[in-house]
Amino acid sequence: MKSPMFIGIAGGTGAGKSTFTEGLLSLFSNSITVISYDNYYKPQDHLPMEERLKTNYDCPDALDTDLLVKHLRELQAGNAVDMPCYDFCNHTRKKELQRLLPAPVMLVDGILTFHDERLRELFDIKIYTDADADERILRRLRRDVRERGRDIDGVIHQYITTVKPMHALYVEPTKKYADIIINGGQNKTALEIVAARIAGRLAEDRNKKT
């Protein structure tokens, strides 16, 4: 197998990144490995819970981008890596690591995926999902309450104080680096375009084996 095809998916919270990713997985589940940039938030074991609750997760400084870049380069070279797993209920990394092996297609998804130039240079395809701000906050509210054990007031406060201003400062400006910009995650045409590119790459891999 040649070096993996790296696909980056960026965009604001609740903009449809996961939906688009799931669409690709439904077509190529055996050939795609998804790496969530969220798993690379820095550990906070050294902080009491009241301090962890103040973390600004929408700022680049909260992420261990050096480690993600290192892991992607290792995967590119054909080596396995141990990806951290982040626990958003306890606001720190879990003790368990997830072993990742190189796959034909490696997809990296996160709000700040295009912020660091080192990451951008690794991606064969860069996709930015966009959505109306009202739509995004509603999706985030549902996710954080259902999946991350947050209360509604806390989610709203976090959105107003950090998510919204950080989106304008750090996330929205990275749209200019995208090869494809889609409105929401359910864009059939965009999905078909990316799927065709992936299918072509997989066909190349098969031909090299024969």
Side-chain angles (χ1 to χ4, degrees):
M1 184 185 79
K2 60 191 295 187
S3 295
M5 169 188 275
F6 286 122
I7 298 176
I9 299 185
T13 182
K17 297 183 296 299
S18 296
T19 300
F20 194 81
T21 297
E22 287 164 7
L24 292 175
L25 284 172
S26 70
L27 299 172
F28 304 101
S29 58
N30 295 325
S31 302
I32 293 181
T33 293
V34 178
I35 301 173
S36 174
Y37 201 176
D38 285 2
N39 280 322
Y40 288 82
Y41 279 114
K42 294 174 182 176
Q44 302 192 105
D45 306 70
H46 59 292
L47 296 175
M49 182 57 74
E50 56 268 26
E51 289 300 314
R52 298 183 198 179
L53 292 171
K54 299 175 184 177
T55 300
N56 180 355
Y57 286 108
D58 296 82
C59 175
D61 290 342
L63 290 153
D64 189 350
T65 303
D66 289 345
L67 181 61
L68 176 57
V69 170
K70 178 182 177 182
H71 280 180
L72 293 183
R73 288 173 177 167
E74 286 290 329
L75 290 163
Q76 190 177 48
N79 303 317
V81 300
D82 292 317
M83 180 179 70
C85 298
Y86 202 83
D87 183 345
F88 281 95
C89 292
N90 291 309
H91 299 272
T92 193
R93 290 181 186 173
K94 298 179 181 179
K95 293 181 179 179
E96 303 81 19
L97 299 172
Q98 181 180 346
R99 189 74 165 172
L100 292 181
L101 300 173
V105 179
M106 310 290 292
L107 194 153
V108 182
D109 130 338
I111 61 172
L112 293 166
T113 305
F114 302 156
H115 182 264
D116 192 293
E117 183 179 2
R118 295 171 300 167
L119 286 176
R120 296 196 302 268
E121 290 175 346
L122 287 167
F123 297 130
D124 298 282
I125 305 174
K126 297 184 290 295
I127 302 164
Y128 186 95
T129 60
D130 210 357
D132 181 79
D134 291 341
E135 217 177 315
R136 291 191 291 104
I137 178 56
L138 290 173
R139 288 177 183 168
R140 181 176 181 124
L141 184 64
R142 181 171 56 188
R143 182 202 67 188
D144 283 3
V145 171
R146 287 182 177 178
E147 301 175 17
R148 297 183 176 178
R150 308 285 173 78
D151 63 87
I152 293 176
D153 290 341
V155 175
I156 293 173
H157 179 265
Q158 185 182 33
Y159 182 81
I160 293 171
T161 58
T162 60
V163 177
K164 185 177 180 180
M166 294 300 102
H167 176 84
L169 184 61
Y170 294 117
V171 182
E172 184 78 16
T174 67
K175 186 191 296 188
K176 65 185 177 185
Y177 299 117
D179 301 308
I180 301 172
I181 299 173
I182 61 176
N183 185 19
Q186 297 179 345
N187 187 309
K188 185 178 179 182
T189 300
L191 186 66
E192 289 173 351
I193 291 170
V194 178
R197 181 82 177 271
I198 292 173
R201 179 60 174 269
L202 296 177
E204 288 178 14
D205 282 353
R206 287 194 296 270
N207 291 336
K208 286 183 179 293
K209 293 178 181 177
T210 58

